[in-house]
Amino acid sequence: MTDTTGLVALKVERTGRIAEVTLLGPSKGNAMGPDFWRELPLVFAELDADPEVRAIVLTGSGGNFSYGLDLPAMMGDWAPLLAADALAGPRTTFMKEIRRLQDSVNAVANCRTPVVAAVSGWCIGGGVDVIAAADVRVASADAKFSVREAKVAIVADLGSLQRLAGIIGEGHLRELALTGKDIDAARAEKIGLVNDVHADQEAALAAARELAGEMAANPPLVLQGIKDVLSLNTDRQVADGLRYVSTWNAAFLPSKDLTEAVQAFMERRKPDFKGE
């Protein structure tokens, strides 16, 4: 039986063979702070090990899936590691921190139980990383998606650049990643980021539950086998890509542009990047 006591950023509920994982925040827009990154791999490991759970629905509370990484909450610990004059020690520590967050998202992708993401409202940055790790995605008509890291002087490093090419194609991925633009649910459906778009949040969640129920009715070991076979050609490529980007960001992420991005975010103004 899954033990979900003591959770802060996530809520887990069971209905028959379906587990529902809901992002709670506690930051605005379910932004992903320290509690989220600690709890996500624990929850999915528990669900993966629970034979009574045959499918998982992943969604967000309130009107949004997630605003993505909670920069103010995370930057306190990261600031010394991102100093322009940081030597090998701090940079190695930061690389390990990136890989810890990657492992959190990997827990969703590596879960042997099928995962259906139901997205409403904003799904930004880390939110896209997480839904890219799910097996299937559905959305409400008000959903908006953004691989926004470029706008905050970051190379996306938690899985979007590695997983989305196989979902939406490399051309669409390059457009989203290089522009950092927002797209609506209709565009997301057109490019294959989501399978279906529904009228509102309630309808999208109902559709995700129905889809999870269809999966849960099938033999569980067969579902595990399907996921294992489908991931055969991508697991190594994703793992290599994650390892490379963590090393890249540990070396090159500290920059004046990153500092400018954080300051502009805090001051609610448009950043002025200099390429430094």
Side-chain angles (χ1 to χ4, degrees):
M1 181 66 68
T2 304
D3 180 11
T4 56
T5 58
L7 296 177
V8 175
L10 298 171
K11 176 177 69 174
V12 181
E13 297 177 312
R14 285 275 303 277
T15 303
R17 295 174 172 178
I18 310 300
E20 194 163 303
V21 180
T22 305
L23 281 64
L24 300 176
S27 299
K28 183 178 179 181
N30 304 322
M32 300 167 168
D35 290 322
F36 172 84
W37 297 110
R38 182 182 68 254
E39 293 175 8
L40 187 67
L42 297 177
V43 164
F44 272 85
E46 292 267 4
L47 294 175
D48 187 39
D50 190 338
E52 297 180 16
V53 176
R54 301 287 181 86
I56 301 167
V57 173
L58 178 62
T59 191
S61 62
N64 300 286
F65 184 81
S66 178
Y67 285 178
L69 186 70
D70 188 345
L71 277 173
M74 304 296 287
M75 284 301 294
D77 292 336
W78 290 353
L81 309 178
L82 293 172
D85 59 351
L87 298 177
R91 289 176 187 254
T92 300
T93 299
F94 184 61
M95 181 179 68
K96 292 178 180 178
E97 178 68 359
I98 295 172
R99 292 181 179 177
R100 181 180 72 86
L101 270 56
Q102 290 176 342
D103 287 342
S104 294
V105 178
N106 288 344
V108 179
N110 295 336
C111 184
R112 296 171 299 170
T113 305
V115 181
V116 181
V119 182
S120 296
W122 282 107
C123 182
I124 303 171
V128 178
D129 290 313
V130 170
I131 67 166
D135 295 293
V136 179
R137 292 149 293 279
V138 298
S140 59
D142 70 337
K144 296 178 286 291
F145 303 84
S146 182
V147 183
R148 193 173 291 182
E149 284 86 348
K151 288 185 176 292
V152 290
I154 297 173
V155 176
D157 55 12
L158 301 183
S160 289
L161 300 187
Q162 289 72 36
R163 294 188 172 99
L164 283 183
I167 297 170
I168 65 175
E170 188 164 329
H172 291 303
L173 172 56
R174 285 176 182 262
E175 178 186 348
L176 297 186
L178 293 171
T179 64
K181 71 192 327 179
D182 305 333
I183 62 170
D184 61 16
R187 175 77 192 281
E189 183 181 28
K190 182 177 180 179
I191 66 177
L193 180 57
V194 300
N195 285 22
D196 297 291
V197 175
H198 301 273
D200 52 31
Q201 185 174 22
E202 183 178 349
L205 188 54
R209 289 167 176 163
E210 181 179 357
L211 190 56
E214 292 179 28
M215 296 175 180
N218 290 324
L221 296 181
V222 169
L223 298 182
Q224 292 177 19
I226 290 169
K227 291 194 61 169
D228 191 39
V229 172
L230 286 173
S231 64
L232 179 63
N233 293 328
T234 58
D235 275 355
R236 179 61 184 270
Q237 182 177 353
V238 169
D240 288 348
L242 290 173
R243 183 178 181 85
Y244 183 79
V245 74
S246 66
T247 306
W248 173 277
N249 272 351
F252 299 115
L253 186 61
S255 67
K256 291 182 180 180
D257 280 345
L258 177 62
T259 301
E260 167 64 9
V262 173
Q263 290 177 346
F265 175 81
M266 297 296 189
E267 297 169 6
R268 298 183 180 276
R269 61 173 174 81
K270 185 176 179 179
D272 181 19
F273 296 129
K274 303 293 188 182
E276 299 178 349

